[in-house]
Amino acid sequence: MSSGPEGEVIRVLIVDDIPDTRENLRKLLAFEADIEVVGAAGTGREAVQKAGEVKPDVVLMDINMPDMDGITATKAISTAVRTAAVVIMSVQSEPGYLRQAMLAGARDFLTKPISSEELYTTIRRVYERNEPIRLQEQQITSIATSAVQTSQQSGGVISPITGAGHVIVVYSPQGGAGTTTVATNMATALMRQDTRVLLIDCDLQFGDIDAFLNVQPQLNITDLTKAVNDMDEEIVNNVLFTHGTGLKVLVSPAHPEQAYDIDPEDVKKLVRILSASFDFIVIDTPTQYDQLTLKLFEVAERIVLVCNPTIPAVRNTRKMLDIFDNLEQPGGLSEKILFVLNRVVNERERGRGTVPASSIESHLKHDVVGQIPLDERSVLTSVNQGVPLVAKNKTRSPARELADLADLIRRKVEAEGGEIEEVPEQTDQRSKSGIRAIFGG
Ligand SMILES: Nc1ncnc2c1ncn2[C@@H]1O[C@H](COP(=O)(O)OP(=O)(O)OP(=O)(O)O)[C@@H](O)[C@H]1O
Ligand SMILES: [Mg+2]
């Protein structure tokens, strides 16, 4: 007998409408010390209920069953119990079924009649592959769990026309400034029991939100932009992915060249359509300023402009602010801006070439509304685990500052029914020649 990871027992739920099949599987699995059958179900509906109760590691799922078929049950279980890996058991490997099962979230397939060795190997394989998700779930604290529960209670299904639809675009004209870090954490921190949040990766060529959150959705933004003129709830529900925190995620295309097939106008339309179903849509963007980012700025209620406290970053931000000032839009784009500094070092450690926030404020004539400290270790660990910092411990810096930023945005957009407030202009003339000299302005 081969065994799974040391000391761990793989908990299995058997789902099949034929009692003999359930019994045979149970007997086969009884021989393996590292596998324990924790339940059995005879219908899809029963399977979904049992999976929610016993939280199995692996579900052996038949396809044809009364009341709810195996594909529908797989979809419900994969959304509600992310740590459960579903293995589909079918009479013959029909390509049509396999594709549907894959889209529903199945991890592997077994063709009946199933040999014992094949059964054991497949169970152990999917269990091992699911380890990152188990670790991720362990990291997520109760802060975000309430949002997961709400999402699970509603079956993870998006209902239309229920959201307040605040669109927040996160942008930086400087590559690597921390746009994705800020967008991911802010979106997570905005979630509440009564607040539905969607995070969209609009860095269409090199988006990495899937890596930041350690998710591998089968479908991406292309699948929705293609359907933008004929959108229905089912398509949306199929394409959006639910992270363990409860955050809904729409990832960028799997291959950079697919970005060329996406019309920026369709992305704008898509955001508008989706905003009817969410309270907040947070959008991560690429560095370049182009048709797509321009459309996103137009549709945004707020633009979180991320900047590092370095001279080149501030200079780029200044150029961007000049563009915002000159873009014609009712109310102007610069009024939407919330200016945030990322990778901020404290007074003592400065002197390594970083510029104080006060000088940056004076130079850019924009208040800094958030300062996220530099913390390589915790930011990297969070990315490697696929768990946003704010979902782990909101009280520790830099999660605290990221959560504060989310709170500030919530307050701003919710004040006076989501009316955009004026961002206070700097009235004092702190833009002295010394500062100009530093930034070359
Ligand atoms: N406050 C921080 N402290 C330490 N490291 C950080 C911080 N913010 C971001 N990083 C790290 O900097 C790198 C770039 O961050 P991120 O991917 O969020 O930036 P970006 O602006 O989205 O980059 P890109 O231009 O590639 O899209 C990542 O490795 C991230 O872990
Ligand atoms: Mg990025």
Side-chain angles (χ1 to χ4, degrees):
M1 184 203 90
S2 63
S3 67
E6 220 172 297
E8 290 179 26
V9 173
I10 308 173
R11 305 169 70 253
V12 176
L13 174 68
I14 300 170
V15 187
D16 202 299
D17 59 335
I18 301 171
D20 279 354
T21 309
R22 296 201 296 269
E23 203 39 47
N24 287 340
L25 286 168
R26 196 189 276 277
K27 279 185 189 149
L28 278 179
L29 295 176
F31 291 114
E32 300 302 288
D34 61 328
I35 299 176
E36 182 192 355
V37 175
V38 291
T43 73
R45 213 172 283 281
E46 206 188 320
V48 176
Q49 192 197 338
K50 274 260 161 64
E53 282 163 24
V54 300
K55 307 252 184 303
D57 299 311
V58 176
V59 182
L60 299 174
M61 179 75 80
D62 185 24
I63 291 189
N64 294 312
M65 287 180 294
D67 95 359
M68 184 193 276
D69 67 85
I71 308 272
T72 312
T74 297
K75 195 166 174 192
I77 292 173
S78 306
T79 312
V81 189
R82 288 180 68 246
T83 47
V86 179
V87 176
I88 296 283
M89 306 182 290
S90 64
V91 181
Q92 64 218 135
S93 28
E94 288 182 54
Y97 274 146
L98 296 195
R99 194 180 134 73
Q100 278 182 45
M102 285 286 291
L103 291 175
R107 302 297 170 76
D108 217 323
F109 305 92
L110 285 166
T111 309
K112 291 179 183 173
I114 301 162
S115 77
S116 53
E117 271 318 307
E118 227 185 328
L119 179 66
Y120 305 149
T121 317
T122 307
I123 290 177
R124 291 188 183 111
R125 186 171 56 229
V126 294
Y127 177 78
E128 271 169 41
R129 279 207 208 125
N130 230 18
E131 187 176 6
I133 296 189
R134 285 195 297 280
L135 290 176
Q136 195 181 47
E137 291 284 311
Q138 282 164 18
Q139 290 293 323
I140 297 165
T141 62
S142 57
I143 299 161
T145 318
S146 54
V148 186
Q149 279 160 357
T150 321
S151 153
Q152 286 171 1
Q153 277 153 12
S154 61
V157 170
I158 309 299
S159 49
I161 327 291
T162 55
H166 303 295
V167 177
I168 314 294
V169 168
V170 185
Y171 177 75
S172 174
Q174 182 93 6
T179 311
T180 306
T181 305
V182 171
T184 310
N185 279 281
M186 221 175 61
T188 308
L190 280 167
M191 280 191 298
R192 297 269 193 284
Q193 216 149 14
D194 58 349
T195 311
R196 319 201 66 187
V197 184
L198 170 66
L199 174 64
I200 306 181
D201 195 344
C202 278
D203 187 347
L204 299 180
Q205 280 196 299
F206 298 108
D208 47 9
I209 278 181
D210 54 345
F212 267 63
L213 294 176
N214 195 8
V215 295
Q216 288 97 31
Q218 307 279 338
L219 301 171
N220 62 58
I221 192 165
T222 326
D223 299 287
L224 286 188
T225 46
K226 273 191 294 201
V228 79
N229 293 317
D230 191 20
M231 192 76 81
D232 68 44
E233 237 179 289
E234 199 186 339
I235 301 177
V236 174
N237 281 317
N238 277 336
V239 178
L240 302 189
F241 191 89
T242 311
H243 182 252
T245 52
L247 181 67
K248 290 278 175 188
V249 186
L250 177 57
V251 295
S252 58
H255 304 288
E257 64 276 13
Q258 284 182 289
Y260 297 117
D261 300 333
I262 301 179
D263 180 348
E265 188 56 39
D266 286 344
V267 177
K268 187 175 169 180
K269 266 194 217 166
L270 176 66
V271 172
R272 287 230 162 98
I273 294 170
L274 291 174
S275 68
S277 304
F278 288 90
D279 296 295
F280 284 94
I281 295 189
V282 176
I283 301 179
D284 189 19
T285 56
T287 300
Q288 68 264 25
Y289 166 61
D290 58 10
Q291 271 306 311
L292 174 65
T293 36
L294 183 58
K295 298 267 176 218
L296 294 172
F297 295 150
E298 285 168 10
V299 84
E301 189 170 328
R302 292 283 176 173
I303 300 164
V304 175
L305 191 59
V306 181
C307 178
N308 290 166
T310 63
I311 291 168
V314 175
R315 287 173 76 158
N316 272 354
T317 303
R318 189 197 163 107
K319 286 179 197 158
M320 200 61 226
L321 287 169
D322 289 343
I323 293 174
F324 282 132
D325 283 338
N326 291 324
L327 282 172
E328 284 192 18
Q329 212 202 316
L333 280 178
S334 52
E335 260 130 52
K336 297 182 179 181
I337 290 169
L338 294 170
F339 185 47
V340 172
L341 286 180
N342 184 35
R343 297 169 189 273
V344 174
V345 291
N346 63 32
E347 291 276 333
R348 246 181 303 126
E349 288 176 54
R350 210 175 289 127
R352 293 188 192 158
T354 73
V355 186
S358 54
S359 308
I360 297 172
E361 281 184 324
S362 315
H363 179 69
L364 298 179
K365 300 193 180 66
H366 265 277
D367 278 351
V368 171
V369 299
Q371 296 193 43
I372 321 297
L374 176 86
D375 187 341
E376 303 280 359
R377 213 173 125 202
S378 59
V379 175
L380 266 183
T381 311
S382 119
V383 173
N384 286 333
Q385 291 171 335
V387 181
L389 285 163
V390 296
K392 299 209 276 180
N393 185 349
K394 255 208 258 196
T395 58
R396 269 182 57 182
S397 183
R400 189 178 58 235
E401 290 81 358
L402 286 158
D404 287 348
L405 177 63
D407 285 343
L408 177 110
I409 286 172
R410 176 188 285 276
R411 284 198 305 276
K412 281 198 180 284
V413 298
E414 286 181 354
E416 293 163 34
E419 286 289 306
I420 297 177
E421 297 162 26
E422 293 280 318
V423 176
E425 276 284 309
Q426 297 267 241
T427 44
D428 57 340
Q429 291 303 306
R430 283 182 283 174
S431 187
K432 304 253 164 56
S433 56
I435 293 165
R436 282 191 175 279
I438 293 175
F439 298 113

